């Protein structure tokens, strides 16, 4: 993609861009299907079960069957719901989740838009999803949905701040918001930001789990309290789009963590004959596995404790991290 | 360089278009496949198996909105840190001290909110 | 919150249940909530009412036993015992020693299995998935043992007035011993997985506090009573069957919160295993499993109430006999029902998330609440 970006725009190039974007969409959808499948398998193994094993060999087509099932399900819109908002909410939630991938570099050559403010773009766009969540919950005119949406909004916006603050340390060290520059900086330093910016890494991981709404921060769904929170009234393919959004975000967030903290596509242990894209996939897979692993291990935190952790622990820590990074950088310059 | 710039945002536009196309397309296509048979009972709002009392569109507790206001304040302040962090190498010591004052202001704001018990959930 | 005072907030009335994953059956709670804080909660019960007591009036005494299985369906063995114990007391029937040992082993296995279900579902309420599956997988082994003994896995109908229905199968006692050893390892695993988890501790410590005074006034029994520091266990304080022959501890806590109830139940599981081990050691060689029972069971005219310590608290049967083969009136003291009464008081001011933790910590079974 790199070379096409430098050329002036033509119809051919435009079609290449569009084709590549469609290909990425295909990859993401494939990822989502198999991430759900592997989540169920991994959870199964961790819980001494087999997991899905009926559809296809080794249960491999289970999620495919689930997608078709959802496609064939009746789409029920409650009588009391705000119909227009109800219909639009899954789209509002899904669009930003895919849009953020436009700036994600997978290797030095395999990337899409190479925007100067790539990181800012990601953070800005990803925070739009909360609008989809709150619209869906409110439009359902369901009390569980409303509480779930309110919780979701409070949680997602509160953890946005530590997330955004924690990466300032990286920007300070790199001097750029461009995601490719950030990876190249890690290559030239010879150390990942996961180690060079360890406090930021920890804050980022916690805040990212809260942004994704994954265990132990799965309060907006909280099936034992709110049944399933903001999407309780959704059925069929509209529900599927909320689900899809969640997993596309796992893809995006795991990619972003890889790029920011784990050196992106740069090889480990000097094994540079293995292509960068494989390294990227491995590191991203490790993060996705970590997220699923937590799901099998952790109880759910309570909303007031979540807010306390975010505002009283993570934000001061993130500010302190910026402070220290700036001073250390000045002292060594 | 100008071409590069335009190309990048063309890609963003393509992604935006695809992001809208997929749900709209899938839901439109799904209409051909899925049954459509709404009944009164089916379209009732779910509330643990009973008819719900009243509407859920009520004046909801304010503490949720106070967090939203806090978010706007902090997020906007945070955005100022980004250009500073990017241009840090060129700015030197003066900018460092200035930004430390700025962060201190952020911290004071946080402490104020903390003392005012805005950060308490209950 | 100073700024919020002028603003008007509307309360919402929320139905929790009967179709809700955390109400452990068809229980309904009408909660008035302000934001997520519960200002008032009213339990609504009766969705599973089958009229066991009324049914009992038209059945003879042996026929009532299977109905007791279906009250607290997680503790069929103790319920069976509660029923037969009352009739035996009324008629003065001697139960052979071998039968008593079998009963005690079965009841303690049952108590263990019941607490396992509680452990799994409680953690599920709090949002952890895996302990549920671990606990149920281990419980299968105990249900397997009880199945060998009685031919059923849940509704045993095993005890009879004067003894038990079947003698222990060949090699069963050795298998019990093996399972007891396995369960000790399992409990260790539960502790490692859950007991030290900071998120879990934050969710249960200081939540749903019951004072000693309230516990007595609301007639709590079992674990909710012991969690307030009152050492009251009928196996120890009013020994029935052969419980006076075993040494075991009655764990208590003083904080009266959900965590206290968690700690006590976990400890009781270990104590149950201790009792089973002692019972296996003392188990008599040979002997009858049924005492001398008249052909027709007709307790003499009069009334009797006996009570025993079930996994959920004090369960008792009050039987009034007119000298016929059917009771004139039968009444069960159902611990889940009695313990549930304090719920509105505990829920006042709690949050939605605490509601689930508090309700779970009482450990109700809806079959028993509704009778």
């Amino acid at each position: 993609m790199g070379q096409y970006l430098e050329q002036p725009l033509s119809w051919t190039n435009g079609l290449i861009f569009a084709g590549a974007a469609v290909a990425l969409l295909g990859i993401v959808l494939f990822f989502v299907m198999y991430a759900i499948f592997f989540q169920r398998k991994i959870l199964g193994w961790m819980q001494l079960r087999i997991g899905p094993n009926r559809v296809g060999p080794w249960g491999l087509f289970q999620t495919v069957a689930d997608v078709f099932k959802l496609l064939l399900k009746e789409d029920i819109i409650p009588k009391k719901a705000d119909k227009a908002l109800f219909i639009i909410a899954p789209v509002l939630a899904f669009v930003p989740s895919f849009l953020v991938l436009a700036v994600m570099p997978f290797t030095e050559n395999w990337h899409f838009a190479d925007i100067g403010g790539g990181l800012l773009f990601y953070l800005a766009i990803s925070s739009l999803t909360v609008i989809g969540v709150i619209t869906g919950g409110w439009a359902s005119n369901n009390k569980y949905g409303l509480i779930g949406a309110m919780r979701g909004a409070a949680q997602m916006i509160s953890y946005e701040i530590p997330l955004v603050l924690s990466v300032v340390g990286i920007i300070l060290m790199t001097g750029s918001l461009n995601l490719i520059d950030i990876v190249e900086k890690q290559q030239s330093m010879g150390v990942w930001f996961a180690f060079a910016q360890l406090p930021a890494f920890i804050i980022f991981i916690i805040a990212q789990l809260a942004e994704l709404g994954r265990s132990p921060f799965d309060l907006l769904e909280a099936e034992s309290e709110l049944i399933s929170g903001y999407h309780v009234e959704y059925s069929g393919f509209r529900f599927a789009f909320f689900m899809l959004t969640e997993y596309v975000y796992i893809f995006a967030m795991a990619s972003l963590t890889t790029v920011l903290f784990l050196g992106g596509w740069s090889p480990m242990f000097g094994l540079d004959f293995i292509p960068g894209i494989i390294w990227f996939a491995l590191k991203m897979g490790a993060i996705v596995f970590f997220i699923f692993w937590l799901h099998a291990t952790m109880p759910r935190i309570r909303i007031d404790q979540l807010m306390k952790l975010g505002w009283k622990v993570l934000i001061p820590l993130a500010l302190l991290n910026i402070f220290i990074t700036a001073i250390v950088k000045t002292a060594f310059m | 360089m100008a071409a590069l710039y335009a190309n990048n945002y063309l890609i963003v536009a393509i992604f935006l278009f695809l992001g809208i196309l997929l749900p709209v397309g899938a839901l439109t296509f799904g209409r051909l496949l899925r049954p459509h048979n709404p009944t009164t009972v089916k379209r009732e709002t779910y509330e643990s198996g009973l008819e719900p009392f009243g509407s859920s569109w009520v004046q909801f507790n304010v503490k949720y909105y106070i967090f939203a206001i806090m978010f706007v304040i902090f997020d906007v302040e945070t955005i100022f840190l980004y250009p500073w962090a990017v241009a840090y190498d060129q700015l030197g010591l003066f900018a460092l001290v200035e930004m430390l004052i700025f962060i201190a202001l952020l911290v004071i704001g946080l402490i104020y909110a903390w003392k005012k018990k805005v950060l308490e959930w209950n | 919150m100073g700024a919020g005072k002028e603003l008007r907030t509307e309360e919402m009335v929320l139905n929790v249940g009967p179709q809700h994953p955390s109400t452990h059956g068809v229980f309904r709670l009408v909660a008035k909530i302000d934001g997520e804080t519960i200002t008032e909660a009213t339990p609504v019960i009766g969705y599973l009412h089958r009229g066991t007591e009324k049914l009992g009036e038209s059945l003879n005494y042996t026929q009532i036993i299977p109905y007791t299985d279906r009250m607290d369906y997680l503790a069929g063995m103790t319920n069976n015992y509660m029923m037969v114990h009352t009739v035996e007391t009324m008629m003065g029937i001697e139960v052979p020693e071998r039968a008593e040992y079998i009963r005690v082993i079965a009841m303690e296995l049952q108590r263990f299995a019941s607490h396992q279900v509680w452990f799994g579902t409680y953690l599920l309420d709090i949002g952890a998935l895996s302990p549920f599956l671990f606990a149920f997988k281990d419980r299968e082994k105990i249900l397997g043992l009880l199945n060998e003994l009685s031919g059923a896995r849940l509704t045993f109908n095993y005890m009879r007035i004067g003894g038990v229905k079947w003698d222990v199968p060949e090699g069963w006692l050795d298998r019990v011993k093996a399972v007891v050893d396995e369960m000790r390892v399992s409990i260790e695993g539960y502790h490692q997985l859950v007991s030290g988890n900071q998120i879990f501790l934050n969710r249960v410590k200081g939540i749903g506090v019951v004072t000693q005074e309230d516990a007595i006034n609301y007639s709590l029994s079992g674990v909710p009573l012991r969690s307030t520091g009152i050492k009251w266990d009928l196996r120890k304080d009013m020994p029935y069957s052969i419980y006076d022959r075993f040494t075991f501890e009655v764990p208590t806590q003083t904080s009266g919160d959900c965590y206290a109830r968690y700690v006590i139940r976990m400890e009781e599981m270990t104590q149950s295993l201790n009792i089973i081990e002692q019972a296996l050691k003392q188990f008599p060689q040979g002997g009858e499993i049924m005492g001398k029972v008249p052909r027709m069971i007709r307790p003499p005219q009069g009334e009797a109430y006996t009570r025993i310590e079930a996994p959920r608290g004090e369960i008792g049967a009050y039987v009034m006999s007119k000298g016929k083969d059917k009771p004139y009136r039968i009444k069960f003291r159902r611990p889940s029902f009695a313990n549930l009464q304090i719920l509105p008081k505990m829920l006042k001011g709690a949050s939605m998330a605490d509601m689930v933790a508090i309700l779970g910590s009482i450990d109700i079974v809806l079959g028993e609440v509704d009778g």
Side-chain angles (χ1 to χ4, degrees):
Chain A
M1 287 296 285
Q3 71 274 24
Y4 296 112
L5 279 174
E6 323 243 322
Q7 293 166 8
L9 189 58
S10 67
W11 277 107
T12 335
N13 282 8
L15 283 176
I16 289 170
F17 293 150
V22 171
L24 181 72
L25 181 62
I27 292 171
V28 169
L29 292 179
F30 183 81
F31 165 86
V32 169
M33 277 207 276
Y34 281 90
I36 295 173
F37 172 74
F38 275 102
Q39 179 190 13
R40 293 178 61 184
K41 270 284 182 200
I42 290 166
L43 279 183
W45 292 328
M46 285 182 175
Q47 296 167 345
L48 313 173
R49 305 183 278 123
I50 303 170
N53 68 337
R54 289 285 140 179
V55 189
W58 209 55
L60 273 171
F61 301 134
Q62 179 64 53
T63 350
V64 183
D66 287 346
V67 170
F68 280 112
K69 182 202 76 177
L70 284 172
L71 194 60
L72 296 175
K73 283 269 174 191
E74 183 174 350
D75 176 36
I76 300 163
I77 300 174
K79 197 164 55 207
K80 286 188 180 173
D82 186 319
K83 199 173 169 193
L85 289 179
F86 189 86
I87 288 170
I88 215 171
V91 185
L92 277 180
F94 174 73
V95 172
S97 76
F98 184 62
L99 191 54
V100 292
L101 292 174
V103 294
M104 194 58 67
F106 299 103
T107 72
E108 61 265 62
N109 296 320
W110 293 25
H111 60 78
F112 290 87
D114 182 14
I115 300 177
L119 182 55
L120 187 63
F121 178 88
Y122 181 101
L123 295 168
I125 299 295
S126 71
S127 62
L128 291 177
T129 288
V130 69
I131 297 173
V133 167
I134 202 161
T135 310
W138 189 83
S140 304
N141 197 354
N142 180 302
K143 289 163 196 168
Y144 291 109
L146 181 73
I147 298 172
M150 285 295 184
R151 273 187 183 185
Q155 171 179 344
M156 286 162 108
I157 62 176
S158 293
Y159 276 75
E160 185 84 25
I161 298 167
L163 190 82
V164 171
L165 284 176
S166 69
V167 294
V168 173
I170 290 177
I171 303 167
L172 265 174
M173 291 179 81
T174 314
S176 168
L177 282 166
N178 186 306
L179 293 168
I180 297 176
D181 289 349
I182 288 172
V183 175
E184 278 164 0
K185 177 72 182 175
Q186 294 179 68
Q187 283 169 337
S188 68
M189 282 199 314
V191 58
W192 293 352
F193 279 132
F195 302 112
Q197 281 280 323
L198 184 63
F201 182 54
I202 295 166
I203 296 166
F204 187 86
I205 288 281
I206 296 174
Q208 134 184 346
L209 285 170
E211 283 286 295
L212 291 171
R214 298 292 301 191
S215 180
F217 306 111
D218 51 346
L219 292 126
L220 55 166
E221 291 176 21
E223 67 269 25
S224 65
E225 300 151 27
L226 300 182
I227 300 158
S228 64
Y230 64 93
H231 56 58
V232 64
E233 286 290 357
Y234 281 86
S235 59
F237 231 54
R238 279 184 221 288
F239 164 74
F241 272 100
F242 277 122
M243 193 85 171
L244 186 63
T245 307
E246 191 182 329
Y247 283 86
V248 173
Y249 264 121
I250 288 182
F251 181 90
M253 273 290 189
S255 303
L256 185 68
T257 317
T258 310
V259 168
L260 290 181
F261 291 98
L262 301 183
W265 54 86
S266 36
M268 289 161 76
F269 318 116
L271 296 171
D272 40 12
F273 59 91
I274 300 173
I277 190 74
I278 304 237
W279 281 114
F280 190 93
L282 283 176
K283 291 169 182 175
M284 196 186 106
I287 293 166
V288 172
F289 174 77
F290 176 73
I291 293 171
F292 293 163
W293 182 17
L294 282 181
H295 192 57
T297 318
M298 289 289 177
R300 185 180 307 116
I301 200 166
R302 207 172 58 208
I303 184 98
D304 57 314
Q305 294 161 349
L306 176 95
M307 289 297 168
K308 212 155 118 189
L309 177 71
W311 288 93
K312 296 186 180 174
V313 180
L314 293 184
I315 291 178
L317 272 183
L319 287 172
L320 191 69
N321 182 51
I322 298 172
F323 198 81
I324 292 169
T325 310
I327 287 180
V328 168
K329 189 163 178 181
T330 313
F332 284 90
M333 237 162 31
Chain B
M1 199 59 205
L4 183 63
Y5 197 77
N7 277 339
N8 282 328
Y9 285 95
L10 174 72
I11 289 177
V12 172
I14 290 171
F15 271 71
L16 179 65
F17 175 72
L18 275 179
I20 297 170
L21 185 73
L22 180 73
V24 172
L27 287 166
T28 317
F29 172 67
R31 187 172 291 180
L32 304 173
L33 297 172
R34 62 181 180 236
H36 180 69
N37 182 23
T39 58
T40 324
V41 178
K42 208 185 270 175
R43 293 183 62 202
E44 247 168 39
T45 305
Y46 167 80
E47 197 176 312
S48 293
L50 289 172
E51 270 179 48
F53 301 117
S55 169
S56 71
W57 293 336
V58 296
Q59 300 240 318
F60 210 60
N61 197 303
V62 279
K63 67 192 166 204
Y64 293 90
Y65 305 111
I66 287 183
F67 274 96
I69 293 166
M70 290 279 294
F71 163 73
V72 172
I73 298 166
F74 273 83
D75 218 33
V76 170
E77 292 191 334
T78 308
I79 290 303
F80 287 118
L81 288 173
Y82 272 58
W84 166 73
V86 170
Y88 183 72
D89 288 343
Q90 292 91 341
L91 294 175
L93 199 60
F94 179 68
L96 171 69
V97 175
E98 263 194 338
M99 197 41 72
L100 291 185
I101 294 169
F102 183 70
I103 293 177
L105 284 176
L106 265 179
V107 172
I108 291 169
L110 189 65
I111 293 170
Y112 178 75
W114 197 326
K115 285 280 171 233
K116 276 278 176 188
K117 303 233 187 299
V118 176
L119 304 182
E120 301 295 328
W121 190 253
N122 291 321
Chain C
M1 198 182 299
K5 267 177 194 151
E6 309 84 77
L7 294 172
R8 192 169 56 95
T9 305
E10 276 176 53
E11 282 191 348
M12 216 158 59
V13 181
L14 181 69
N15 252 321
V16 183
Q19 301 297 329
H20 187 283
S22 295
T23 51
H24 298 260
V26 281
F27 173 68
R28 176 177 162 211
L29 192 76
V30 181
K32 272 197 188 139
I33 55 171
D34 171 19
E36 282 197 43
T37 313
I38 296 171
T39 52
E40 198 188 320
T42 320
V44 180
I45 58 171
Y47 289 91
L48 201 58
H49 180 66
R50 292 148 300 183
T52 311
E53 291 169 3
K54 189 72 190 162
L55 280 169
E57 290 171 18
S58 55
L59 299 166
N60 69 36
Y61 288 94
T62 314
Q63 285 171 334
I64 297 171
I65 298 168
Y67 283 84
T68 63
D69 282 325
R70 284 153 182 81
M71 285 202 311
D72 180 354
Y73 41 76
L74 295 178
M77 283 295 182
T78 44
N79 289 13
N80 277 187
Y81 184 79
M82 171 247 331
M83 185 61 214
V84 298
H85 182 49
T86 309
V87 180
E88 282 160 8
T89 312
M90 284 179 97
M91 298 177 70
I93 295 172
E94 278 282 303
V95 181
E97 202 168 54
R98 189 178 172 86
E100 289 284 25
Y101 275 100
I102 298 175
R103 283 176 174 186
V104 165
I105 293 173
M107 281 195 287
E108 291 307 317
L109 284 173
Q110 181 74 84
R111 189 184 314 276
F112 190 90
S114 169
H115 281 356
Q116 263 179 328
V117 174
W118 173 81
F119 169 78
T121 52
Y122 191 55
L123 267 293
L124 200 60
D125 288 346
I126 289 184
L129 293 174
S130 301
F132 173 74
L133 287 134
F134 293 147
F136 268 67
K137 195 174 170 79
D138 292 334
R139 177 173 171 259
E140 282 301 298
K141 291 171 188 155
I142 293 178
L143 291 189
L145 289 174
L146 295 177
N147 184 19
E148 278 185 65
L149 195 62
S150 68
R153 297 166 63 80
L154 204 65
T155 50
F156 306 103
N157 188 19
Y158 177 61
M159 298 191 189
R160 290 291 180 275
I161 293 154
V164 293
K165 178 71 181 156
W166 316 101
D167 201 350
V168 290
E170 190 74 37
W172 188 75
L173 296 170
D174 299 330
R175 289 195 286 279
V176 173
K177 178 78 186 94
V179 169
V180 167
D181 292 340
E182 278 177 54
M183 289 305 132
R184 286 200 194 277
V185 180
S186 295
I187 293 180
E188 197 49 45
Y190 301 160
H191 278 302
Q192 281 175 7
L193 187 64
V194 176
S195 299
N197 188 309
Q198 194 57 46
I199 298 176
F200 172 72
L201 294 179
N202 285 345
R203 284 294 304 275
V204 294
K205 274 194 174 165
I207 302 300
V209 178
V210 183
T211 61
Q212 226 171 58
E213 200 189 349
D214 276 342
I216 291 169
N217 287 346
Y218 279 88
S219 179
L220 298 189
S221 59
V223 178
L225 178 70
R226 289 193 284 275
S227 73
T228 63
I230 298 169
K231 203 166 186 163
W232 181 254
D233 187 322
L234 293 172
R235 290 175 296 172
K236 203 85 168 176
D237 295 300
M238 298 171 69
Y240 53 92
S241 188
I242 48 169
Y243 275 106
D244 47 356
R245 299 187 197 174
F246 308 115
T247 50
F248 60 96
E249 293 294 314
V250 178
T252 55
Q253 292 277 316
T254 48
S255 53
D257 56 2
C258 294
Y259 180 65
R261 294 187 273 278
Y262 169 81
V263 172
I264 292 175
R265 287 205 178 91
M266 295 306 277
E267 182 54 28
E268 279 191 2
M269 284 161 81
T270 314
Q271 296 302 332
S272 287
L273 295 182
N274 290 347
I275 295 174
I276 296 169
E277 270 182 349
Q278 292 171 44
L280 287 175
K281 277 207 193 86
Q282 302 171 11
F283 198 82
Q285 296 286 324
E288 289 292 310
I289 56 160
M290 277 299 277
K292 284 204 172 62
V293 183
R295 227 181 152 67
M296 290 296 288
I297 294 163
R298 289 200 180 95
Q301 183 154 5
E303 54 190 43
Y305 174 70
T306 62
R307 48 188 179 162
I308 63 160
E309 189 74 25
R312 261 153 275 278
E314 190 178 308
I315 194 167
Y318 167 80
V319 177
M320 192 180 211
S321 169
K322 295 269 184 194
K324 303 253 175 59
D325 61 339
K326 290 170 185 152
Y328 178 74
R329 172 80 169 94
I330 188 161
K331 157 96 186 125
F332 299 110
R333 185 206 190 269
R334 309 185 303 271
S336 293
F337 176 76
N339 290 348
L340 189 64
Q341 304 310 316
I342 199 172
L343 186 71
K345 187 163 181 152
M346 286 163 94
L347 285 183
K348 198 159 193 170
S351 74
M352 283 285 290
D354 289 341
M355 174 207 61
V356 173
I358 290 170
L359 179 64
S361 78
I362 302 176
D363 189 18
I364 54 165
V365 165
L366 263 298
E368 192 178 57
V369 171
D370 292 341

